[in-house]
Amino acid sequence: MPLTRKAYRAAILHSIADPAEEGIEASYEYFADGLLVIENGQISAVGHAGDLLPTLPADIDITHYQDALITPGLIDTHIHLPQTGMVGAYGEQLLDWLNTYTFPCESQFADKAHAEEVADIFIKELLRNGTTTALVFGSVHPQSVNAFFEAAEKLDLRMIAGKVMMDRNAPDYLTDTAESGYQQSKALIERWHGKGRLHYAVTPRFAPTSTPEQLALAGQLLGEYPDLYLQTHISENKQEIEWVKALFPERNGYLDVYDHYKLLGERSVFAHGVHLCDEECARLAETGSAVAFCPTSNLFLGSGLFNLPMAEKHKLNVGLGTDVGGGTSFSLLQTLNEAYKVMQLQGARLSPFKSLYLATLGGARALRLEDKIGTLQPGTEADFLVLDYNATPLLSYRLKQAKDIAETLFVLMTLGDDRTVMQTYAAGQLVHQR
Ligand code: GUN
Ligand code: ZN
């Protein structure tokens, strides 16, 4: 195959370390007039245009953007495909919200055509918002995951998903059994895990909706295949936590339920964790597990304020999650806007570079994919965005007042949304053009 080499010239910014560990200045690289060189779907060089241009053949295809910023593709570490049609459901907190809105909406995925239609809308929405990798909950129906992976495979996206396992405390029309959940998950793993850029995540919904037998089989699956993911929810809502204590009185708290069934580990991502205690953060960190911080959802469902400084103290891996449809936006920029406010309400700050880290390299680390995605380092996959400084009249005017890249970045995260994403590239191919 002939070598395909292309270059993109614009301002370029990416995270290269966690500001909490290395300090803000060492956490990013910024090239005011930068060049990103792509060869066969991978990044081969990034740097100052003035340094790189002389090293390239004179006839190389260069796309030059004015008033634009190239960043890595964004990473959503927690989102629900079958909740696309119920974003913004009024008035309830978690447990009533699940029963009133979520379960009826997810039941529609029994219909394969519906699953395919929503998978298509969902993937378009991810790409419109600049999300190039997501860790995705399907519904209990295997066809929700088949529809998602089929659509993702066509675009060569790096995506992770799994079918919900749920064998109690949910309507009969939406439950599997311990055995069928195990067998259906296994069939999906055999079909999809490791195919192209796709990975499978074992997906018990949360402790209350799985019997001990089902949780044990989820743990067994993790042992049967290499590099499988595990995704579930934890300590999101106070009533939920009391319910888990009542259902598992023999266990020493919510996390201990998952720990007992061997669900913690380097590819395990626990959504929310709003009410985790110090010991639980320490245990999550010790096992290499990660937490998905879902600020729009935690505010919308009245769940509480995630304690990011506590997670940082324990060196716990944290990614950012939209949690659509508990969350109210597919945009990780808007999710960061809310994350900043969640920190403000706790008397803390969220620097724009920490925000960039959470949405890119931090998410990649939470998913153990930092050698492939999350930065623009040479040798990684060419998943990147072109953000438009003139996306709206207000953004355009406001950014003209910005004195440096820190302010520009912060304003992009405060005013930015899907309109800001001019182009999205995955594996070097254009997959969204605004
Ligand atoms: N806990 C169990 N299921 C869900 C869900 O679908 N969304 C949220 N936010 N929390 C959950
Ligand atoms: Zn969720």
Side-chain angles (χ1 to χ4, degrees):
M1 212 167 76
L3 186 75
T4 60
R5 186 150 63 165
K6 282 190 165 193
Y8 300 85
R9 184 172 181 176
I12 297 178
L13 174 68
H14 67 148
S15 245
I16 54 172
D18 183 351
E21 288 179 3
E22 306 288 333
I24 285 178
E25 286 315 311
S27 79
Y28 69 94
E29 280 184 333
Y30 174 63
F31 308 101
D33 178 14
L35 198 73
L36 182 70
V37 187
I38 310 298
E39 279 180 36
N40 294 330
Q42 293 202 339
I43 295 166
S44 63
V46 64
H48 296 289
D51 294 341
L52 289 176
L53 285 170
T55 70
L56 296 169
D59 63 348
I60 188 170
D61 177 354
I62 301 179
T63 308
H64 195 167
Y65 303 93
Q66 304 295 336
D67 287 343
L69 181 68
I70 291 178
T71 69
L74 307 180
I75 299 172
D76 187 341
T77 60
H78 184 64
I79 186 166
H80 297 257
L81 159 71
Q83 296 175 17
T84 305
M86 55 161 289
V87 177
Y90 177 76
E92 306 291 353
Q93 295 212 351
L94 178 64
L95 301 179
D96 292 325
W97 173 85
L98 284 171
N99 286 314
T100 310
Y101 297 113
T102 315
F103 293 153
C105 186
E106 293 195 5
S107 74
Q108 299 174 67
F109 286 71
D111 174 9
K112 182 165 174 277
H114 178 80
E116 288 169 356
E117 181 192 349
V118 180
D120 191 48
I121 294 168
F122 178 82
I123 286 192
K124 285 201 176 95
E125 207 54 41
L126 291 178
L127 299 175
R128 288 184 59 255
N129 282 281
T131 299
T132 48
T133 292
L135 174 56
V136 179
F137 267 63
S139 68
V140 75
H141 317 94
Q143 58 262 35
S144 66
V145 174
N146 280 323
F148 174 73
F149 278 145
E150 278 163 15
E153 188 184 33
K154 281 188 194 136
L155 295 170
D156 195 15
L157 305 177
R158 188 163 285 288
M159 290 286 175
I160 314 166
K163 144 205 144 68
V164 160
M165 302 168 85
M166 172 156 75
D167 68 343
R168 66 166 169 176
N169 292 323
D172 288 343
Y173 62 73
L174 212 55
T175 47
D176 53 12
T177 65
E179 180 60 21
S180 72
Y182 171 81
Q183 293 299 347
Q184 289 171 346
S185 301
K186 212 173 167 67
L188 289 165
I189 292 164
E190 297 278 351
R191 178 165 177 202
W192 294 110
H193 186 55
K195 191 165 188 218
R197 296 212 288 161
L198 306 175
H199 314 256
Y200 193 81
V202 176
T203 308
R205 180 172 212 114
F206 68 156
T209 49
S210 284
T211 57
E213 294 70 38
Q214 184 162 68
L215 292 175
L217 286 171
Q220 189 181 316
L221 272 176
L222 292 179
E224 288 178 27
Y225 296 88
D227 297 341
L228 276 181
Y229 288 85
L230 178 286
Q231 58 178 344
T232 189
H233 298 88
I234 193 165
S235 295
E236 174 178 4
N237 167 289
K238 291 200 169 147
Q239 270 183 305
E240 170 211 16
I241 295 168
E242 291 309 309
W243 194 21
V244 172
K245 282 187 190 152
L247 289 168
F248 297 90
E250 72 285 9
R251 300 267 67 88
N252 185 22
Y254 201 156
L255 183 69
D256 189 48
V257 174
Y258 294 140
D259 207 352
H260 178 77
Y261 292 104
K262 303 191 168 32
L263 302 182
L264 277 56
E266 290 202 342
R267 286 178 179 73
S268 297
V269 179
F270 296 88
H272 304 285
V274 170
H275 305 288
L276 289 169
C277 64
D278 255 307
E279 291 71 30
E280 288 174 319
C281 284
R283 179 65 185 149
L284 284 165
E286 181 188 357
T287 56
S289 306
V291 170
F293 173 22
C294 305
T296 78
S297 171
N298 295 341
L299 294 172
F300 185 73
L301 293 178
S303 303
L305 306 175
F306 178 67
N307 190 339
L308 182 62
M310 178 159 88
E312 284 178 339
K313 187 180 79 183
H314 290 283
K315 298 196 187 312
L316 173 55
N317 274 329
V318 176
L320 195 66
T322 61
D323 193 31
V324 160
T328 49
S329 174
F330 275 81
S331 169
L332 284 168
L333 297 175
Q334 272 312 295
T335 304
L336 289 169
N337 183 20
E338 299 302 289
Y340 177 80
K341 297 170 193 171
V342 165
M343 291 302 109
Q344 281 279 44
L345 285 169
Q346 299 177 96
R349 287 196 184 171
L350 187 62
S351 88
F353 295 105
K354 178 72 188 198
S355 290
L356 176 69
Y357 174 80
L358 286 173
T360 58
L361 178 56
R365 285 183 175 167
L367 301 175
R368 306 284 162 179
L369 290 171
E370 66 270 30
D371 59 329
K372 298 185 172 64
I373 57 170
T375 72
L376 302 174
Q377 301 282 18
T380 65
E381 298 169 352
D383 292 357
F384 64 96
L385 312 178
V386 183
L387 303 179
D388 176 10
Y389 288 171
N390 298 317
T392 69
L394 177 62
L395 185 70
S396 181
Y397 180 66
R398 176 62 183 87
L399 287 181
K400 286 192 176 64
Q401 328 301 319
K403 62 187 181 309
D404 57 20
I405 185 60
E407 187 176 350
T408 296
L409 182 60
F410 187 62
V411 171
L412 280 169
M413 290 161 172
T414 307
L415 297 182
D417 53 28
D418 52 340
R419 296 168 296 182
T420 317
V421 180
M422 186 159 72
Q423 293 181 328
T424 303
Y425 289 84
Q429 299 299 315
L430 183 66
V431 289
H432 164 68
Q433 165 76 53
R434 191 190 60 203

